[in-house]
Every structure is written in structure tokens, then in C-alpha cells.
Amino acid sequence: MSFPSRGRFLPLARWAGLEAYVQAARVAIRQAVCYPADIFIEFISYPFAFLGYFFFVAALFGSGGSVQGYGLSTLITYFSLGWVLRMIVDQRLDGNVAALVQSGGVVSHLVRPVDFLHYLFAGFVGRGCLRFCFYALPAILMLTTLFGEDISLRSGDVGWFILYALVAFRMAFELQMLLGLTAFFLTMNHQISWTVDMTIRLISGLIVPLNLFPEPLFRILELLPFQYLYFKPIQVFLHPAEIWNMLAGLTVGMLWTLGLALCNRTVFRAALRRHVIYGS
Amino acid sequence: MTPIINAKNLRKIYRIKRQHPGAWNAVKSIFFPDYEQRVAVDDIDFSLDEGCLAALVGPNGAGKSTLIKMLVGVLRRDAGDLDVMGLDPFNHRMRYVRNIGVVFGQRTNLLWDLSVQDSFELHRAVFGIPRRDFLCRLDELRALFNLDEILRQPARTLSLGQTMRADVAQVLLQQPKILFLDEPTIGLDVLSVKSLIAALRKVNSLYATTIVVTSHDLTVIEELCSNVVLLDKGRVIFDGTVNKAVDTYGNYRKLRFQFTHEQNLAMALELIAGAMPKMLQRIATRRESLELSTVLASDDVDFARLLELAQRLRDESGLREFSMEKPTLKEVILHVFS
């Protein structure tokens, strides 16, 4: 009986000491595709959410006009990009971590000689790649086919958008991880997860572009990291700024992400010190 | 032999929320939760030698699982010292777990949705096992644990016995210095238990792997282990070899007399009452198997008088069979905890 192939990149990963994490990413992909109906149903659920926006925006701006520079075309592009990003980063890691804690399954991770947080991030990357290929790309194709006249995906600065999206990806992981880690302290974190997720959707610019909020609120939200999830990446695509401003924004986003990662590490260490896995 | 596990004054206290009956108490507990401290492991000392097959034995709540979780580094102790292979399991967890294998009988480490071979492949990468060694060990384990039929099956479709075989085989792929098994035979049928025991004995003899097992199945302990740590209410009440445990707690002998006819039983009881009255105090009669059985303290066993009694019973009461046995470890453990 033959055993699974090594994979094209595994020798390189082994050399870099990352083989375990590459395998974790591959396993995450394989686990995700075990249930194709799940993937399909989740995929078709996103356009439903998007269609709501489309009808709303079309009703408001279908006959022309704009608010603070957002016309029909800009808003459709804004929400398209927002929901495509959401498709990739919305992996409900918080719920998965909570399930591991509640079931005691976390013990299987703790007896492995790999960093728990890095291991979960590897899985997040694997699922992210899968979601990019199976959700995001078909969604972009579908959106441009359906709303080709209104969506201007060819314009803008794609390179900067990708860099900002990568920061958003890592930040989304850290935020979901932080929510998941609360299960170590509270056991049941469902309500916290749900509430924080809803709030983040609102204050990250997924539901409404942040600069449409009242000025004082927008100023406050600009001081928080959540704008780097959706608002900032979409802004650099729609309204590219000076290169130094883009670079400064990216650096701030990366620093926020690093801060969240350090926070997660501290919380995880504290969690391990107090966590008890009851029973056998 | 040098101890591979050394525990001194090990202590773990759980803080457990108490739930009182009634809706009012449920509401009250939101604002005024009531906690109690429960000592799960209470100042215990013990050590295990390298290459031994040891059992942690005790009734429910004795602290076995808590102890094994501290030993594998997933639970922080509240006090005491724990040294396993020169490392502190909790504080050096990442380095430590590289050298151990852990199987929890009630939780599988296999990837639930993927095949067993996918789990093995991930395990290989996680533990950094060179592919050549991996394939070589897998070949040995295939035969030992009869894995061929299940390698391509998703873990969720395996029976309990198959899951356990795959779980144990998986941790043996990294050739751990110590193998911890927490209730490895839960839900297994007799044949699966037998084959698991045989495989573990072979692993121990081939690779000198130290095996630490907790189990409620005393037959497993008896057939597998050379050392035993008896725990009760979080304390170690015995730590030593199986023989020493039997000598310490099994200072009695079991006597059994079997007769040819039922009417011989009454006559035999009269003879015993006359010859060895002490024996009568704990005698049990089994009419269906025509047997009398009893236990005697080792000090009360007088061979000459026993043989004389047996001869009289044979001549006068139709004695067909007579035996005297040392208690087994299983009986000793039951005796201690009862």
C-alpha cells in the first residue's frame, strides 16, 4: 500500500522547519472538502447577503447622485470587495476553538510538539486558500458577470489592496482566535462571539463605509484596528492615496496585528495555567 | 535502574462550582457563585523506573486521570516537583511531548473526518519523523496492530477497538520513551483487549518503552503491568512491583475443596469444624459446583494440618479436588479498595 505523496513543497518546508504547519494547512483543506454540500450551501449564502445590498443601493442611487463620493458604482464595488474578503476570512475559528475547549479535544493539540497558535494559523491559511479558490474567485466572476456595468474591479491599485488584504487576513485570524480563547475562561463563549462579530461587522466597514458614519464616530473608529479588516483594504483599492500614506497605513495595520498576536499569546499562556480538562 | 518519573509532594486542587437545586438558587448563583475546593492529588510521592510497565490504579475520583494529565504536561500542578526524563512536563511542554506518546481512551487523536493514514502523515510531520523511519516503523506496526484493513478508512467510521489500535499505533510512530495510556480499554471487547495487551508487551520488550497505564479493567493491569501505584482519595497508598503489592496486601490464601456428592458437604463441614475451627468462620458453600471455599490469613496456614485435613476429607467425605492459591493482583486490589 502506498502512502500519501510528499507534496511538491514539503521538502522545502521540511528544510525550513515548517513541515508540520504545511501539513496542518493541507489537513485543514482536506477536512473542509470532506462535506461538499456544506461548501456549496455556504457559497450560495453569500450572494444572498450581497443581493440585499445591491437592491438597497440600486434603489437609492439607481437614478444617479452620490453621498460623500459614494455613487452606485463605487458602492457596488465596495460591497463586492467587502463580501469577497469576508468569504475568505470568516472561518468561525472562534467557534472551533471553543468546541475544542468544551469537548476537551484541546488536549490532543497540547500533546503535540508544535505551537498551538501557529498550528491553528496554518489551518486558517489552508482554509483561506481553499475559500479564495472555491468562494472568492467564483464570486468575483459571478459579480462581474451580473453587475459588470457597476463593478469596476479592473481599476484601483490591486497590489496595495492585496497587501492590505493580507494584513486583514492575519488580523481576522487574531480576532477570531482572541474570541475563541475566551472559552478557556468562560467555557461557553457563543454569545460573546456573536455580539463581537456583529459589532466588528459594523465598525470595520463591512456593512457601511466608515466615512458615512457621523464625523466624531468616524474619528473614533479610525483609532481602532477593526477598519483594517474591510474599510482600509477597500479604500486603497477605490481611492489610492500617496505611496507614503499607503505605506504608513499598512505599517499601522501590521502593528495592530502584531499587538493582537502578542495579546493572544499572553491570553493563551494564562489560559493554559488555569485551564482544567475534567474527566478522562 | 534510574527513575524516569519522579514526583515529590505533587498536589492539585480543583475549584468546582457548586450547583444547588431550584430555580432561585440558579439565579442566585449568577451573582453569588458558590465554589468548593476539591483536592484531586494530595501531596503524592512516587517514582517509576525506565522501561517499566506501570499502572495507576484506584477507584473513581482517586486522582488517576488528574495525575496522568500532570504527567503528560497538560495540567499545571499547584505544588510539588515533577521530573520526567529530566524535564518539567508543564513548563517544558513543547520539548517534553516530543519524547512521549499519549492516548486518552475516551478521546481519539485521529483526524475524525480523514483516513487513518492522513492522521499518521500529519503525526509524522508534527513529530518530525524522517520518512524512511516512518515507513519502516509503520510496517512493523501494521503487523502488530493489524492496521491494513483500516488505514484508508475515515476515523469516524472505525469501531472502538479499531480506533484504539490506530491511536496507539499512531503514538508509537514517533517511538516515544514513555507511553501514557488513560483508560485504553474502555469499550473494547475481550479479543481487542487481549491483542492490545500483547502488542503493548511487545513494544515494551522491543523498544524498552516505559508504559504508564490507568484502567478500571483490573485484568489489563494484571496481565500487562510489572509495577503498580495504588491511589486512593488523591494519595498514593502503594508504589512498587506487582509481586510486592501481592505480598503486602495479599497476606491470605484461598482454599478450595470440591466434593463428589452434595451430601458430602455437610459431613465435610463437620470435619473442618473439628480439625480447623478458624477456617469455618469465612467458609462459603456452593452447592451447584459441590464446593467449599474459604480464605485463611497466611500466618494461620499450617501445611501439615491442612494436608492431614485434606486426607481425612478424601477418605471420609469424598473430596475430589483441593487447592490453595495466592491471591491475584486483581483480588488484592479489590481487597484493598473494599
Side-chain angles (χ1 to χ4, degrees):
Chain A
M1 188 183 288
S2 64
F3 227 71
S5 66
R6 294 162 193 223
R8 197 172 296 167
F9 303 107
L10 279 182
L12 184 67
R14 192 175 304 134
W15 176 79
L18 295 173
E19 193 186 4
Y21 301 110
V22 173
Q23 273 297 346
R26 292 178 66 180
V27 162
I29 293 171
R30 296 200 59 181
Q31 282 177 319
V33 297
C34 271
Y35 304 102
D38 229 31
I39 295 180
F40 181 70
I41 290 166
E42 191 181 355
F43 174 74
I44 59 170
S45 74
Y46 284 105
F48 284 132
F50 178 79
L51 277 178
Y53 282 99
F54 176 76
F55 293 139
F56 182 61
V57 171
L60 286 178
F61 301 105
S63 51
S66 67
V67 177
Q68 297 206 13
Y70 289 101
L72 180 67
S73 170
T74 320
L75 278 175
I76 294 291
T77 309
Y78 185 97
F79 290 125
S80 301
L81 288 175
W83 282 94
V84 164
L85 270 178
R86 174 88 180 163
M87 282 177 164
I88 299 168
V89 302
D90 179 26
Q91 297 187 18
R92 291 162 213 156
L93 182 71
D94 45 346
N96 295 343
V97 174
L100 279 179
V101 174
Q102 287 153 8
S103 68
V106 70
V107 75
S108 303
H109 288 269
L110 298 179
V111 295
R112 288 178 182 151
V114 287
D115 184 283
F116 179 66
L117 301 179
H118 290 169
Y119 184 88
L120 291 189
F121 181 63
F124 197 81
V125 171
R127 279 187 300 275
C129 293
L130 180 85
R131 295 170 84 90
F132 176 74
C133 298
F134 281 84
Y135 292 2
L137 287 181
I140 290 169
L141 200 69
M142 196 173 76
L143 289 167
T144 47
T145 309
L146 289 174
F147 312 109
E149 287 177 11
D150 298 312
I151 295 178
S152 47
L153 288 182
R154 283 183 200 86
S155 64
D157 200 326
V158 177
W160 282 104
F161 172 74
I162 291 172
L163 286 175
Y164 270 78
L166 287 173
V167 172
F169 183 78
R170 181 72 201 215
M171 187 179 278
F173 166 79
E174 298 299 346
L175 286 169
Q176 288 173 41
M177 192 70 215
L178 188 58
L179 287 174
L181 289 177
T182 58
F184 278 98
F185 303 89
L186 305 167
T187 311
M188 193 58 78
N189 69 344
H190 178 73
Q191 204 53 46
I192 289 184
S193 274
W194 189 84
T195 309
V196 173
D197 182 51
M198 286 303 291
T199 312
I200 287 177
R201 283 186 202 199
L202 189 67
I203 63 177
S204 61
L206 177 68
I207 298 176
V208 182
L210 294 184
N211 49 359
L212 292 186
F213 283 137
E215 184 71 15
L217 185 57
F218 175 52
R219 292 277 162 244
I220 293 169
L221 294 179
E222 271 196 319
L223 300 174
L224 299 176
F226 310 105
Q227 57 177 329
Y228 287 92
L229 286 174
Y230 301 107
F231 183 67
K232 281 281 184 188
I234 302 171
Q235 283 300 313
V236 298
F237 183 84
L238 291 174
H239 311 292
E242 291 287 315
I243 188 164
W244 292 111
N245 284 343
M246 305 265 256
L247 204 58
L250 192 67
T251 310
V252 174
M254 284 162 75
L255 286 174
W256 271 117
T257 310
L258 182 67
L260 281 168
L262 292 174
C263 172
N264 276 342
R265 198 149 284 283
T266 310
V267 172
F268 179 59
R269 210 167 289 152
L272 281 189
R273 294 181 84 80
R274 74 186 299 283
H275 184 60
V276 172
I277 300 147
Y278 291 105
S280 286
Chain B
M1 204 175 272
T2 47
I4 195 164
I5 299 176
N6 238 323
K8 280 203 180 357
N9 307 113
L10 212 53
R11 193 172 170 81
K12 180 71 195 175
I13 301 169
Y14 290 133
R15 188 166 173 257
I16 296 167
K17 194 174 181 182
R18 272 203 289 213
Q19 291 186 334
H20 300 286
W24 168 242
N25 284 322
V27 174
K28 203 171 105 183
S29 74
I30 296 172
F31 304 101
F32 306 103
D34 182 13
Y35 290 98
E36 69 170 310
Q37 307 252 328
R38 199 170 292 166
V39 181
V41 167
D42 191 5
D43 269 343
I44 69 170
D45 295 347
F46 78 98
S47 63
L48 292 175
D49 288 337
E50 200 171 347
C52 75
L53 283 153
L56 304 176
V57 182
N60 288 334
K64 308 181 295 288
S65 286
T66 300
L67 182 56
I68 214 158
K69 279 178 210 145
M70 286 196 281
L71 287 172
V72 302
V74 298
L75 189 65
R76 184 171 166 247
R77 62 187 181 275
D78 290 324
D81 297 315
L82 182 58
D83 179 308
V84 188
M85 296 179 286
L87 295 171
D88 178 325
F90 186 81
N91 292 323
H92 305 132
R93 183 174 55 86
M94 292 270 278
R95 196 145 45 103
Y96 170 70
V97 294
R98 194 168 281 284
N99 298 308
I100 64 165
V102 187
V103 176
F104 291 99
Q106 302 202 50
R107 287 191 185 101
T108 178
N109 290 334
L110 302 172
L111 301 165
W112 190 242
D113 298 312
L114 303 186
S115 69
V116 173
Q117 69 180 23
D118 283 325
S119 292
F120 285 6
E121 185 61 29
L122 176 68
H123 196 78
R124 184 195 66 73
V126 162
F127 281 84
I129 308 164
R131 182 164 288 275
R132 196 176 299 167
D133 294 353
F134 168 74
L135 291 174
C136 185
R137 285 172 204 167
L138 185 66
D139 270 346
E140 291 171 23
L141 293 168
R142 263 182 190 163
L144 204 57
F145 289 92
N146 198 14
L147 296 175
D148 280 337
E149 57 177 10
I150 57 171
L151 270 179
R152 288 193 186 277
Q153 236 176 287
R156 66 186 153 78
T157 65
L158 301 179
S159 70
L160 270 176
Q162 289 171 327
T163 306
M164 186 49 64
R165 268 167 27 215
D167 262 318
V168 176
Q170 177 170 277
V171 296
L172 290 173
L173 285 169
Q174 85 247 26
Q175 273 193 3
K177 290 188 178 123
I178 310 178
L179 178 59
F180 293 97
L181 304 162
D182 190 12
E183 300 288 357
T185 56
I186 276 191
L188 299 195
D189 62 44
V190 184
L191 287 177
S192 301
V193 171
K194 283 267 176 205
S195 64
L196 183 65
I197 289 172
L200 290 172
R201 290 191 80 94
K202 200 161 178 185
V203 165
N204 172 261
S205 64
L206 282 177
Y207 312 115
T209 309
T210 306
I211 297 178
V212 181
V213 57
T214 74
S215 179
H216 280 102
D217 187 344
L218 295 179
T219 315
V220 174
I221 308 291
E222 197 162 37
E223 289 184 24
L224 182 67
C225 298
S226 54
N227 284 59
V228 63
V229 178
L230 298 183
L231 292 157
D232 193 22
K233 292 173 188 145
R235 289 180 165 273
V236 170
I237 54 174
F238 177 83
D239 168 22
T241 63
V242 167
N243 288 339
K244 197 176 152 200
V246 173
D247 287 343
T248 309
Y249 296 103
N251 51 352
Y252 61 92
R253 298 292 176 265
K254 299 182 298 174
L255 275 67
R256 194 176 66 90
F257 304 90
Q258 196 179 32
F259 298 89
T260 48
H261 300 291
E262 195 176 342
Q263 56 267 39
N264 297 139
L265 293 176
M267 210 188 302
L269 281 170
E270 273 178 34
L271 269 174
I272 291 169
M276 294 180 81
K278 263 193 178 173
M279 203 191 282
L280 260 192
Q281 291 166 3
R282 290 172 133 188
I283 207 149
T285 308
R286 280 198 196 145
R287 294 196 182 279
E288 67 277 14
S289 55
L290 306 173
E291 262 182 35
L292 295 177
S293 58
T294 187
V295 290
L296 268 185
S298 302
D299 295 341
D300 293 337
V301 174
D302 180 335
F303 285 107
R305 285 182 65 196
L306 261 177
L307 283 174
E308 190 185 318
L309 174 66
Q311 268 176 5
R312 283 190 68 189
L313 287 170
R314 187 192 62 191
D315 299 340
E316 298 170 32
S317 310
L319 178 70
R320 193 166 66 184
E321 216 175 284
F322 164 59
S323 67
M324 184 170 73
E325 290 170 6
K326 274 175 87 168
T328 61
L329 176 68
K330 183 176 169 178
E331 287 161 335
V332 163
I333 290 168
L334 288 172
H335 175 69
V336 169
F337 291 117
S338 63

